[in-house]
Amino acid sequence: MSSKEKPTLGGTRIKTRKRNIAAPLDPAAFADAVVQIYLDNAGDLELIAKSIESSDLNFSRYGDTFFEVIFTGGRTQPGTTKPDEGERHPYSIIEYEATREVILPSVIYIQKVLRRRPFLIKNLENVMRRFLQSLELFEENERKKLAIFTALAFSQKLSGLPPETVFQPLLKDNLVAKGLVLTFITDFFKEYLIDNSLDDLIAILKRGKIEDNLLVFFPPAKRSNESFSEHFSKEGLTALVEYNEKKIFEVTLKEMKSALTTQITEEADISEVIETVKLRVRDAKLPDTEIVRVLWDVLMDAVQWSGKNQQQNANAALRKVKTWAELLNTFCTSGKLELELMYKVQMQCYEDAKLMKLFPEIIRSLYEQDVLAEDTILHWFRKGTNPKGRQTFVKALEPFVNWLEEAEEEE
């Protein structure tokens, strides 16, 4: 053998590495197989569920297609809601009547499927997201069916379906502008509240991250609190209207407190502060009793408390009352509002340990600054209705009341 020839082993076979050959996707055949199960069982969902369970269909690969068949009766064209070629069945959610009694069995059926195959929840999300982003491609009655299904899905706590899957896709500008989203969400609210409380609905909206801004469902031209109240009142959802009004009220009070706290902390001119209150009262139509409560809260929040030193706390609180007495006087314009202020002071002194012993001094200071009238104080003392700490405060105020009554007798 020449030294230049390479040695070889006789009788050996050179092996090549085998490669995994991926099977081609065939969603059409999968869809046809599921449709056939529906047809074979004449739409009986219990029988269909059993057939699905015993089948060897590849759900992990064709989960989206599976839910397309449930919702529309067959496979849809990629990226659309339009029917694709292939077999179809007439027992889909889109073909049902738009009533909860007819659609509810499908929700329960899907729940059973998801319990056996929990990985399919992602496919349900995918299909629902795609359909909701394409609401304009459905007929009005079909959109109503989707809304009913969605409400029942949350009502039945369909395994793992997150609210953001439903609400976020709806917020496409073109869908909102056409009013399609408002109609859908109204049907959803009405259906969901049949079996659930408003608190349950708010919890879902919170999880969907839209609880603080329900106006996003309204077309821009109708995006106002007046339109909100008018629309949902007309639809019979008065509880939702009341909830929204309460939220608006809370936000308004918070903004008012923030603005006043800044002015008082910076020792703005009292006339400027009074004007701020008047403007906010006019714009927000706040009730007089709430204004009195807010003013007292703001004044006490601005006090520089000194821990456990009762005398320093008393002096600081009384200085604040004296400094801003004109502000309180401007809005305590009746015996009813003066009494409301006394109840507010009573509650704060009851709830705050450092103020507990200051109640009589605060009331006396408010009297001396002409914020509280003698008749108001005597009425509270004799007939006050708030029981929180009342016995303690009545006893503490008794010397001052005796003085008022003696002065009255002398006159």
Side-chain angles (χ1 to χ4, degrees), residues 352-380:
D352 193 335
K354 65 178 174 288
L355 296 178
M356 193 77 175
K357 296 180 180 179
L358 300 186
F359 180 77
E361 294 185 64
I362 292 174
I363 297 302
R364 181 163 192 147
S365 179
L366 289 169
Y367 169 77
E368 292 172 349
Q369 302 302 322
D370 293 326
V371 177
L372 295 179
E374 177 182 334
D375 290 346
T376 301
I377 297 172
L378 293 176
H379 177 85
W380 178 92

Side-chain angles (χ1 to χ4, degrees), residues 80-144:
T80 73
T81 60
K82 297 179 180 179
D84 202 352
E85 296 180 357
E87 297 292 330
R88 311 195 72 78
H89 70 83
Y91 310 108
S92 66
I93 292 171
I94 293 301
E95 293 295 328
Y96 284 148
E97 293 179 25
T99 64
R100 68 194 331 258
E101 291 78 14
V102 176
I103 294 176
L104 180 58
S106 289
V107 177
I108 297 172
Y109 159 65
I110 292 175
Q111 182 76 288
K112 291 179 180 178
V113 173
L114 291 177
R115 284 172 181 164
R116 299 292 295 179
R117 295 179 172 86
F119 61 87
L120 285 175
I121 189 64
K122 287 297 181 183
N123 301 106
L124 176 60
E125 288 181 45
N126 293 340
V127 173
M128 288 190 68
R129 187 182 296 111
R130 174 152 52 87
F131 285 174
L132 294 175
Q133 287 176 331
S134 308
L135 281 180
E136 73 270 28
L137 302 180
F138 291 96
E139 300 293 331
E140 181 179 353
N141 200 37
E142 293 173 341
R143 292 194 291 269
K144 184 177 181 66

Side-chain angles (χ1 to χ4, degrees), residues 275-338:
E275 189 60 29
T276 297
V277 178
K278 287 182 176 179
L279 286 173
R280 290 185 175 273
V281 168
R282 184 189 65 195
D283 294 342
K285 300 177 182 178
L286 296 172
D288 294 339
T289 53
E290 200 61 47
I291 298 164
V292 169
R293 297 189 194 110
V294 169
L295 291 179
W296 184 257
D297 281 339
V298 169
L299 290 182
M300 290 300 101
D301 287 345
V303 174
Q304 297 296 318
W305 304 107
S306 60
K308 296 182 179 180
N309 192 315
Q310 288 292 327
Q311 191 56 52
Q312 288 186 23
N313 285 334
N315 293 338
L318 296 177
R319 278 197 303 272
K320 197 65 68 176
V321 169
K322 185 175 181 179
T323 302
W324 296 96
E326 184 182 344
L327 175 63
L328 293 171
N329 249 323
T330 302
F331 297 96
C332 281
T333 54
S334 67
K336 177 184 176 182
L337 294 176
E338 290 177 19

Side-chain angles (χ1 to χ4, degrees), residues 151-199:
L152 290 173
F154 285 122
S155 184
Q156 296 293 317
K157 297 179 174 57
L158 196 63
S159 299
L161 184 65
E164 55 267 27
T165 296
V166 173
F167 299 125
Q168 296 306 320
L170 287 171
L171 301 181
K172 288 179 64 176
D173 290 343
N174 64 315
L175 297 180
V176 173
K178 292 176 182 178
L180 300 179
V181 174
L182 180 57
T183 301
F184 178 92
I185 209 68
T186 301
D187 289 335
F188 171 86
F189 287 163
K190 290 168 72 173
E191 186 63 41
Y192 184 81
L193 288 172
I194 292 175
D195 293 327
N196 303 275
S197 68
L198 182 63
D199 288 340

